[in-house]
Amino acid sequence: MWPGTRRFLEGGGGHTLALGGFLLTLEILGRFSPSDFQDSLALLAFSVAMIALLVRHRRMPLPWLKRLQQRVGRYSGRWQHLQYGLGLDLRGEPPLPLRVPRWMLLLSTGLILWGGVVALLWYLAPDQGWRVLGLYGSYTVYLVLLGSLWLVLLAVTFCGVYVPVSLLDRLLKQRLGDPDRRGVELAAVVAYAVLISFLAWEVPPGWVLLANLVLIVVTVGAIVMLRRDEAAVVWSSRQGIAALPLRQLLGWMALLTLMVTADLVVTACGGRLWGPPAVQQALPLTGLLGAVAAWLLPGLWSVVFLFYRLSRRQDPARRTPPTIHISGEDPISLARAAWLIRGWGWFARCQPAPRRPGDVPIRIVPPEQSQATEFDPPWPLHLALQDLDNPLVRDRLGRRDVILLRRQLFHGLHKLFKRLAPFKGPNGGTFWIAPQWWFIDYAGREEIDPHTEDGRAVFVGPPYHAVLPVRARQHLHEVLRATQIDIIFVEDGVSFKHVERVLRILTELYDVHGGQRRAEDIHFRGLPKVRVLIHDYAPGNPFSHELYPEPKYFDLSRVRALHIFKDRGGEEEPVVPPHDFSYSPAPTMTV
């Protein structure tokens, strides 16, 4: 035995030699592999060898692999400058510089290069495509790329089946019972699988790629148009603090996803994009997986578009016109009244259609029975056709609509706080609500760990759209944006009655000043048993108070928060009422 052989073998040299021999054999035999069917066997053997290597390294660390891990760790530490601090900007004033994170630009550039290089390889070698990298380069690297591609294609296939089926199950559950639903769902799944199989076998996947490219162009146009938004993501790097509008961020994520799917289709199906696969194709299995995944993409796009339309309909920032419910005896008069009201830009619903919650009711009567000028008439309001031309009548109906919206709003918030009560913990905490934002659909719960004093925030309770009508959320958005309140924190122990009082003060402030004055602490002075504080969160300006707990929030966030605490006393200056002179003695003149 040569000197040092035992030490070489005990240090993992034998396993290293075996691994080197295996990779050398794989490189030699891989040059003679005709298609990816044989590549799948080589990939299986390579995976088994890597698993055995990791098991051996876990039991007895290999020196070279340990040094490799240490070197990778040192190099990863040099990329710490690419880390970003994140936050939310719900204020928008003063505006922050708008900038796209560099990693998004680098990733998009890399995806463009990926698609261009793969398309060029398919153009130069139609039978082999990018498989020439393994034949004339490193077959091991080719196997790693092939395995990664298959995993991604299988993941896309799983999502393309699971997401539409889950949506179908959710829709059927609302309309059918369990026995009927299972049968319909099974039939729909089988029909969908047959359709996808037929399309993948008979129709070229180039049509899917073309639709993908059209969606990319549309998404780029949407990103350019969405330059401003009410909410933005704040991020910080070595270049400083910048913001990216939230809708534009979602547009970028959609764009990157579409670019990835386009590259996947080109990579897997480059030899069969616009025609049947060649007889001697080198990647038949990859092309079949890619065709199935490609024809599953339209279903995913449809689901995403459906959820986008639903979110737009429920967006509190939109303004849906009021709806007037019209009743009466004369159908011609009802039609005429509906035509006049629709001319205002409002919606009209005529009898015999039932009145829905939130509809403002009126009844068309002869002119002598009109109640248009009465002080406090009963509803439905009796109006003549001529009254609908009076701007004061329109203002009165608009005010009635606001009253109905606020009734729905407070009723829904009351229901929400009832549903939130079981989530209160023994250590105390706060709830935070923000129904006016389209991207927040749940109330938040924040509790402080008594041992570590770290905050733990989770979303709890029912979604806002389940307890609050869309127009009620739109009205709350209008009030809170006018009074410059972005989020509301409610401490445990504060009842909904006190929360309602605070919100009514906000609505009164909005009504009195026409939405031109923001809320301040002084507007809530004198409320019994609660203390209301308003704080402007900003980088470097966290909330701190000696008596009241500090909610944990992102360090980079810009938020104007309204806090409703239990009154702990000792803070507010006593308000001295004016002296009542009616009980003061005064000198009188006597004759």
Side-chain angles (χ1 to χ4, degrees), residues 204-215:
W207 297 107
V208 180
L209 178 62
L210 183 61
N212 200 322
L213 295 178
V214 171
L215 289 177

Side-chain angles (χ1 to χ4, degrees), residues 212-228 247-252 254-256 258-259 308:
N212 200 322
L213 295 178
V214 171
L215 289 177
I216 288 176
V217 174
V218 172
T219 306
V220 171
I223 291 175
V224 174
M225 294 175 60
L226 297 174
R227 298 293 297 172
R228 289 292 178 184
R247 295 186 191 275
Q248 197 176 46
L249 174 63
L250 295 179
W252 270 97
L255 176 62
L256 294 176
L258 290 172
M259 294 175 68
Y308 170 76

Side-chain angles (χ1 to χ4, degrees), residues 71-282:
R71 181 169 297 181
V72 170
R74 287 196 300 268
Y75 278 108
S76 62
R78 300 180 182 179
W79 296 87
Q80 294 295 326
H81 65 277
L82 293 179
Q83 293 183 356
Y84 297 95
L86 296 178
L88 282 175
D89 180 16
L90 304 183
R91 283 283 82 223
E93 296 293 338
L96 294 172
L98 300 180
R99 190 165 62 244
V100 180
R102 196 202 305 184
W103 69 268
M104 284 188 175
L105 300 176
L106 294 176
L107 182 57
S108 60
T109 304
L111 292 175
I112 293 174
L113 292 177
W114 171 13
V117 170
V118 171
L120 180 62
L121 291 176
W122 277 112
Y123 176 76
L124 297 176
D127 295 335
Q128 296 291 334
W130 58 277
R131 194 172 182 269
V132 297
L133 298 177
L135 298 179
Y136 302 103
S138 174
Y139 186 74
T140 304
V141 174
Y142 160 75
L143 285 182
V144 173
L145 296 177
L146 181 66
S148 303
L149 177 63
W150 284 359
L151 288 177
V152 176
L153 291 176
L154 290 175
V156 173
T157 302
F158 173 78
C159 293
V161 174
Y162 177 77
V163 173
V165 170
S166 299
L167 178 61
L168 177 65
D169 180 73
R170 181 178 177 181
L171 295 177
L172 293 177
K173 189 181 296 183
Q174 299 174 356
R175 292 170 172 83
L176 300 176
D178 284 340
D180 299 333
R181 175 170 60 90
R182 296 303 179 187
V184 174
E185 185 176 341
L186 179 61
V189 170
V190 172
Y192 189 58
V194 172
L195 176 63
I196 295 300
S197 301
F198 171 78
L199 293 174
W201 191 260
E202 295 293 337
V203 183
W207 297 107
V208 180
L209 178 62
L210 183 61
N212 200 322
L213 295 178
V214 171
L215 289 177
I216 288 176
V217 174
V218 172
T219 306
V220 171
I223 291 175
V224 174
M225 294 175 60
L226 297 174
R227 298 293 297 172
R228 289 292 178 184
D229 196 5
E230 288 185 329
V233 175
V234 182
W235 53 279
S236 174
S237 63
R238 291 197 306 177
Q239 288 78 22
I241 297 177
L244 185 65
L246 193 54
R247 295 186 191 275
Q248 197 176 46
L249 174 63
L250 295 179
W252 270 97
M253 301 304 294
L255 176 62
L256 294 176
T257 304
L258 290 172
M259 294 175 68
V260 169
T261 54
D263 289 345
L264 289 176
V265 174
V266 173
T267 304
C269 307
R272 50 182 296 178
L273 277 178
W274 299 107
V279 179
Q280 300 297 328
Q281 187 183 9

Side-chain angles (χ1 to χ4, degrees), residues 4 60 86 96 116 146 183 192 274 307 318 384 391 433 451 460 487 586:
M60 297 181 62
L86 296 178
L96 294 172
L146 181 66
Y192 189 58
W274 299 107
F307 276 97
R318 296 182 65 202
I433 60 174
H451 302 289
V460 295
I487 193 170

Side-chain angles (χ1 to χ4, degrees), residues 526-540:
L527 285 178
K529 299 183 180 180
V530 293
R531 176 70 189 279
V532 178
L533 299 176
I534 297 178
H535 182 73
D536 289 285
Y537 286 87

